[in-house]
Amino acid sequence: MLDPDSGERSLLPRQVFFPMAGTRDGRAKLGGVRGAEIDATRMAAYWGTESLPFEPGKHGRAAVKIADDRGVESLKIVELE
């Protein structure tokens, strides 16, 4: 998950990625649950691990949160130029 304007108090993801590409992982599970509501063309942009371009917000920081399939989470806040 990517929050391009982190105030360090909460995470407001503007981009969420699904890098796991197996037939029983990540996006496949999501598509099976909510397939009728997902636009496959738009979802294709989030199937990797690279963010889409974004403008830095007023705080000058971006927060990146990673959660794996076991529920282990990591959060990193990065200062933007």
Side-chain angles (χ1 to χ4, degrees):
M1 293 176 268
L2 171 70
D3 178 354
D5 188 24
S6 175
E8 295 189 41
R9 299 185 117 214
S10 61
L11 183 75
L12 180 59
R14 299 290 182 4
Q15 296 183 35
V16 179
F17 303 91
F18 300 93
M20 298 175 71
T23 57
R24 296 176 11 161
D25 295 320
R27 69 173 185 242
K29 286 183 181 178
L30 181 64
V33 173
R34 307 188 72 163
E37 298 177 27
I38 294 176
D39 179 341
T41 304
R42 293 181 81 187
M43 280 297 294
Y46 299 97
W47 287 348
T49 56
E50 191 171 316
S51 77
L52 302 175
F54 64 89
E55 292 290 323
K58 66 180 179 181
H59 294 103
R61 292 182 295 273
V64 178
K65 183 174 186 175
I66 299 169
D68 70 12
D69 59 337
R70 297 167 297 185
V72 177
E73 299 179 359
S74 296
L75 176 69
K76 176 146 180 134
I77 298 177
V78 180
E79 296 290 329
L80 301 173
E81 296 178 4

